Amino acid sequence: MQSSFNKAGVKEDVDISVDLGGLKLKNPVVVASGTFGYGLEYEDFLDISAIGAVIVKGTTLEPRSGNPSPRIAETPAGMLNAIGLENPGVDVFLKEYLPRLRDKGVTVIVNIAGNTVEEYARMAAKIEGNEGVAAIELNISCPNVKKGGLQFGTHPDTVKEVVEAVKKETSLPVLPKLSPNVTDVVEIAKAAQAGGADALSMINTLLGMAIDIKKKKPVLANIFGGLSGPAIKPVALRMIYQVYKEVDLPILGGGGIMSSEDAVEFILAGASAVSIGTGNFVNPRLALEVVEGIRNYLQEENIRSVRELTGMAVIK
Ligand SMILES: Cc1cc2nc3c(=O)[nH]c(=O)nc-3n(C[C@H](O)[C@H](O)[C@H](O)COP(=O)(O)O)c2cc1C
């Protein structure tokens, strides 16, 4: 392994750029969909163009008003959300938000969700050719209305089908975002690869619920919600480790990352880059602090490039 100290014993800079199946990032830290708005809301706190990429909030073909309230609940070491993809729709995103992000030099990943395979494909076609989009992330934790509401991401056949349909419409790197609410995540990852995925994003939230004992009712109006935050970190690490061993695709890993030490764990487990979600609510500057923490770790460990770190803890 090369040293990151030069002959005079002075620390040399380390290389923290990464390539996720054609998606080139200046550093390996992105902010997760739905936890950072369109990025523009955070401009008072940090230079948003310094983040590896901003994954914008879940975008749909038509505008959605989301689920009724309450749609957020705090839990020990995490939170539940059932926002229900509130967003103004893909056309408004492309017309009003994308140009502003482009002007600021932000690397933008668009997270898309649909009711049918055709909707995903139509959105990919609309996004294609718009300057300023670096990649598409597919939220496949959505009900497939043509298959009785079964989530796309829980069945290998529908995962392959939706990835294939999107790939036909775009030349951008496509990252399906895997749901942890499955028995065998490796099988799902292989289906995404068979559909032509360029990289994998994992994991989305774990299905959960909370109950108000005074009202004797579920806390969330939607009853169930997605669990995120530190509580899910061990599950995310385990799934990334499993997929890294079995599937030859770069992984964007996340789930409960609250520090650069957490991020390094994800990279050692097989992630090429990491995403920060719930942590943004605790500390809006976390993504950039994690970038600095990773850089310091590499220097301390005499590792010249973050790419060397990926999968180092995986036992063959
Ligand atoms: C309030 C909230 C909204 C979210 N909205 C989306 C979304 O629109 N699309 C999506 O793919 N994931 C969404 N997620 C999931 C996050 O992007 C992330 O994958 C998940 O929360 C796990 O990471 P974390 O523990 O760092 O938050 C949302 C999460 C939260 C907490």
Side-chain angles (χ1 to χ4, degrees):
M1 193 178 299
Q2 287 177 304
S3 164
S4 60
F5 289 86
N6 66 17
K7 280 184 189 144
V10 177
K11 271 186 191 177
E12 284 177 358
D13 207 11
V14 289
D15 181 1
I16 55 169
S17 65
V18 293
D19 184 331
L20 283 159
L23 166 62
K24 291 186 177 20
L25 303 178
K26 55 187 165 290
N27 68 61
V29 185
V30 313
V31 285
S33 180
T35 66
F36 211 73
Y38 291 107
L40 300 159
E41 302 86 334
Y42 281 76
E43 275 189 301
D44 288 346
F45 298 103
L46 74 170
D47 172 9
I48 55 172
S49 70
I51 304 171
V54 171
I55 309 185
V56 297
K57 65 157 77 179
T59 303
T60 50
L61 197 56
E62 305 293 339
R64 291 199 194 177
S65 53
N67 289 325
S69 291
R71 46 191 196 175
I72 275 183
E74 203 168 332
T75 63
M79 64 180 281
L80 288 163
N81 92 82
I83 305 294
L85 295 172
E86 178 181 351
N87 82 102
V90 65
D91 292 332
V92 172
F93 166 72
L94 292 174
K95 191 157 166 268
E96 293 185 13
Y97 294 98
L98 183 60
R100 289 166 63 195
L101 291 163
R102 189 169 55 216
D103 288 351
K104 292 180 192 301
V106 177
T107 303
V108 177
I109 301 174
V110 187
N111 175 289
I112 64 171
N115 291 319
T116 60
V117 172
E118 296 72 35
E119 269 191 32
Y120 281 95
R122 280 180 63 197
M123 289 220 288
K126 274 181 184 263
I127 292 164
E128 177 68 9
N130 281 280
E131 203 193 320
V133 179
I136 296 178
E137 181 180 61
L138 303 180
N139 177 0
I140 47 176
S141 300
C142 311
N144 180 350
V145 295
K146 288 197 180 156
K147 294 251 165 87
L150 198 75
Q151 282 190 7
F152 290 95
T154 57
H155 207 282
D157 294 346
T158 43
V159 171
K160 179 166 178 271
E161 196 185 345
V162 74
V163 177
E164 250 167 15
V166 167
K167 282 293 292 178
K168 268 195 199 129
E169 301 296 337
T170 182
S171 55
L172 291 166
V174 173
L175 291 78
K177 184 169 179 181
L178 306 190
S179 167
N181 303 311
V182 296
T183 313
D184 184 357
V185 73
V186 172
E187 185 190 25
I188 302 289
K190 284 182 176 165
Q193 184 175 37
D198 297 284
L200 300 169
S201 171
M202 54 193 295
I203 60 173
N204 212 320
T205 52
L206 281 132
L207 198 60
M209 74 178 296
I211 291 181
D212 183 326
I213 62 167
K214 289 278 182 234
K215 293 185 184 151
K216 301 172 188 66
K217 283 199 172 113
V219 172
L220 298 172
N222 190 55
I223 304 174
F224 304 131
L227 180 66
S228 62
I232 72 168
K233 189 184 122 191
V235 178
L237 277 173
R238 183 266 294 175
M239 289 189 156
I240 289 161
Y241 187 104
Q242 286 179 313
V243 169
Y244 177 81
K245 270 187 100 158
E246 303 276 337
V247 184
D248 191 18
L249 281 179
I251 298 170
L252 170 60
I257 296 178
M258 304 300 280
S259 66
S260 60
E261 288 82 3
D262 288 342
V264 169
E265 278 192 68
F266 276 74
I267 299 170
L268 290 170
S272 294
V274 294
S275 64
I276 313 272
T278 303
N280 296 312
F281 298 135
V282 181
N283 173 7
R285 294 185 45 82
L286 184 60
L288 294 189
E289 290 175 12
V290 171
V291 173
E292 275 322 294
I294 291 173
R295 199 195 295 275
N296 290 340
Y297 173 85
L298 292 171
Q299 284 175 336
E300 280 162 24
E301 297 291 321
N302 290 338
I303 299 171
R304 199 173 274 276
S305 160
V306 69
R307 298 186 295 278
E308 288 174 33
L309 209 58
T310 294
M312 236 187 221
V314 175
I315 294 157
K316 301 283 179 208

